[in-house]
Amino acid sequence: LTKQVVALKLIDLKNVTINWQNLQTGQKSKIDQLSLQASNIREGDFFPIKLSLNVNSNKPNVIGNINLSGKFRASTWRKQYQLRDFILITKLRGKDVPQGKVNAQLKSDVAITNNEFKATGLSLTLNGDTVTGNLDATGINKITAFDSNSIMRPLNIKGGFNSKRLRFAGMNLTNAKLNLQG
């Protein structure tokens, strides 16, 4: 196995606009104020990455913004990818958004190898409710297509989630704990 080192000093995109229109379906989507920054990119080393964008779509009816940041490391020859100090913040609204509005923040450290997905220190705040925990999934190298049967069948999933207060399906739960295995 030969290792090829890929290095790039800087990616700095600012104020990019992407328009998409499907004339057959009438779908119109626009991404604007897209910014992407990454520096000191080198195979096998962590480098900082930031992405932000606004989205406006009629099908589905969604408007809002998305921001993510973290430190990323890729070792493509080993098929290993890591996100450290990953933060994803979304603020979306529209008639096709559940309950008309979603304010979410996701924090985690993520590691992906050719067979395993791990999210540790996971914290999801969704419209004021917070869930914390960890998630492991193995068998991801057996996924061959993106349909529900082929994705779920080969996976082994294990996780645990905790929440001090959670509103779910019209219920108010306190000190909720969920163990996940499948």
Side-chain angles (χ1 to χ4, degrees):
L1 208 63
T2 304
K3 179 181 175 183
Q4 293 182 327
V5 176
V6 177
L8 187 61
K9 183 68 176 165
L10 179 69
I11 295 174
D12 191 12
L13 299 173
K14 292 182 182 172
N15 206 19
V16 175
T17 299
I18 300 169
N19 288 300
W20 167 265
Q21 183 175 5
N22 185 324
L23 296 175
Q24 287 183 317
T25 65
Q27 178 190 21
K28 294 180 184 178
S29 297
K30 179 179 181 179
I31 294 173
D32 67 350
Q33 296 182 19
L34 183 139
S35 295
L36 173 64
Q37 289 89 35
S39 59
N40 301 316
I41 302 163
R42 186 172 170 87
E43 174 95 8
D45 292 341
F46 279 103
F47 62 88
I49 186 165
K50 288 184 181 181
L51 173 72
S52 63
L53 60 92
N54 292 331
V55 63
N56 188 342
S57 176
N58 69 338
K59 291 181 183 180
N61 181 269
V62 176
I63 188 168
N65 58 27
I66 299 169
N67 296 285
L68 71 83
S69 64
K71 296 177 183 113
F72 183 70
R73 174 168 61 184
S75 180
T76 54
W77 68 283
R78 288 186 177 158
K79 297 181 182 177
Q80 295 175 338
Y81 307 91
Q82 286 181 279
L83 271 169
R84 192 168 63 194
D85 304 325
F86 174 69
I87 300 173
L88 172 67
I89 300 171
T90 62
K91 294 182 180 180
L92 303 173
R93 65 184 190 281
K95 68 179 183 180
D96 292 327
V97 174
Q99 300 177 3
K101 178 176 84 169
V102 168
N103 292 324
Q105 177 174 295
L106 174 66
K107 295 180 180 180
S108 186
D109 289 338
V110 177
I112 301 170
T113 65
N114 62 345
N115 189 45
E116 185 176 29
F117 171 89
K118 277 189 175 192
T120 56
L122 192 124
S123 172
L124 172 64
T125 302
L126 180 62
N127 294 339
D129 294 326
T130 301
V131 175
T132 60
N134 298 299
L135 180 66
D136 292 335
T138 58
I140 62 174
N141 62 338
K142 296 176 184 171
I143 297 171
T144 58
F146 286 98
D147 66 68
S148 60
N149 289 331
S150 70
I151 288 175
M152 298 308 287
R153 191 170 291 128
L155 291 180
N156 294 311
I157 299 172
K158 184 177 181 182
F161 300 97
N162 303 304
S163 180
K164 290 182 181 177
R165 180 182 64 101
L166 182 64
R167 289 172 294 207
F168 177 74
M171 298 181 291
N172 290 317
L173 305 171
T174 56
N175 297 320
K177 292 184 180 189
L178 172 69
N179 290 320
L180 178 67
Q181 190 165 354

